[in-house]
């Protein structure tokens, strides 16, 4: 997934960025709400991690504005505001989850995965696809009973294709979701990842529609 972090604490923001990137997601990090607005205007994000106390405003009105404009991107609030009333306000404003600082980074990873699965319409973390058995929560995969090791980037690409089996994803859309503004990618970088996935998962798992893009076969 491509994730936008809106957090003005430099130490926490860096830790969250590194954790999310290590999980295989592409990450863009801003420290102000106006910069978040600019980022959302030019890129499609799969999830937003939102602090509530930013230098140029509060996160709740920002979130309400997003929802009023029809922006359905999942949002997880990350904040030191720990009162029940704060949590209620955040959830009622349109947040999908609420995590109180300080928090364990492993818990953040789990919550990101949980929200992503709900939005993909499949809350079950264990799936089957032909001879593949996939545990999305544990990030483990077996092919015909044998363990398959994927890199973080390969997992991110596979999860994106898995979110809508049978749907064609144009190359540009996949690149936008997999890479952040700061990533440098070659013209064939995506093709290399697709090729490696096919070798590990089976040549027929990912189909190429020439001139259109790629899709994961339906179960």
């Amino acid at each position: 997934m491509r994730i936008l972090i809106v957090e003005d604490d430099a130490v926490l923001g860096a830790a969250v960025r590194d954790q999310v990137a290590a999980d295989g997601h592409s990450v863009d990090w801003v420290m102000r709400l106006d910069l978040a607005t600019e980022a959302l205007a030019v890129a499609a994000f799969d999830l937003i991690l939102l602090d509530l106390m930013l230098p140029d405003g509060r996160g709740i009105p920002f979130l309400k504005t997003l929802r009023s404009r029809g922006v359905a991107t999942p949002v997880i609030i990350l904040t030191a505001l720990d009162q029940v009333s704060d949590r209620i306000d955040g959830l009622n404003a349109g947040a999908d989850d609420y995590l109180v600082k300080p928090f364990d980074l492993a818990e953040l990873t789990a919550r990101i995965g949980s929200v992503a699965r709900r939005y993909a319409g499949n809350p079950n973390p264990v799936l089957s696809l032909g001879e593949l058995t996939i545990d999305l929560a544990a990030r483990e995969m077996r092919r015909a009973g044998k363990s398959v090791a994927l890199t973080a980037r390969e997992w991110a690409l596979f999860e994106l294709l898995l979110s809508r089996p049978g749907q064609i994803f144009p190359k540009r859309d996949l690149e936008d979701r997999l890479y952040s503004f700061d990533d440098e990618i070659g013209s064939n970088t995506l093709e290399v990842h697709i090729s490696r996935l096919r070798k590990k998962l089976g040549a027929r798992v990912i189909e190429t529609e020439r001139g259109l893009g790629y899709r994961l076969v339906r179960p």
Side-chain angles (χ1 to χ4, degrees), residues 67-202:
R67 296 302 188 231
S68 69
R69 293 176 178 172
V71 177
T73 305
V75 174
I76 299 177
I77 289 175
L78 310 178
T79 181
L81 301 177
D82 60 355
Q83 298 299 309
V84 173
S85 59
D86 296 319
R87 301 183 190 186
I88 292 173
D89 288 344
L91 295 172
N92 285 341
D96 298 273
D97 204 348
Y98 194 106
L99 195 53
V100 176
K101 304 173 184 176
F103 50 81
D104 190 285
L105 291 172
E107 181 180 2
L108 175 62
T109 291
R111 288 177 183 260
I112 289 173
S114 177
V115 169
R117 291 193 299 273
R118 290 203 304 270
Y119 267 76
N122 192 349
N124 184 2
V126 180
L127 307 173
S128 295
L129 181 67
E131 62 180 0
L132 299 175
T133 301
I134 308 120
D135 187 332
L136 294 173
R139 287 209 159 188
E140 295 178 351
M141 184 183 302
R142 303 187 76 83
R143 179 184 178 189
K146 297 182 179 180
S147 180
V148 177
L150 300 183
T151 67
R153 186 71 75 186
E154 288 166 355
W155 264 112
L157 174 56
F158 179 74
E159 286 179 330
L160 181 54
L161 294 169
L162 184 64
S163 66
R164 295 180 179 84
Q167 175 179 311
I168 297 172
F169 286 83
K171 177 182 177 181
R172 178 61 181 273
D173 289 355
L174 290 173
E175 290 176 338
D176 285 345
R177 296 295 179 91
L178 290 171
Y179 306 107
S180 67
F181 292 125
D182 295 330
D183 286 332
E184 294 184 7
I185 59 173
S187 59
N188 68 333
T189 300
L190 181 64
E191 286 80 358
V192 170
H193 290 308
I194 293 285
S195 177
R196 290 174 178 169
L197 279 176
R198 283 174 170 152
K199 289 179 180 179
K200 294 179 179 182
L201 309 183

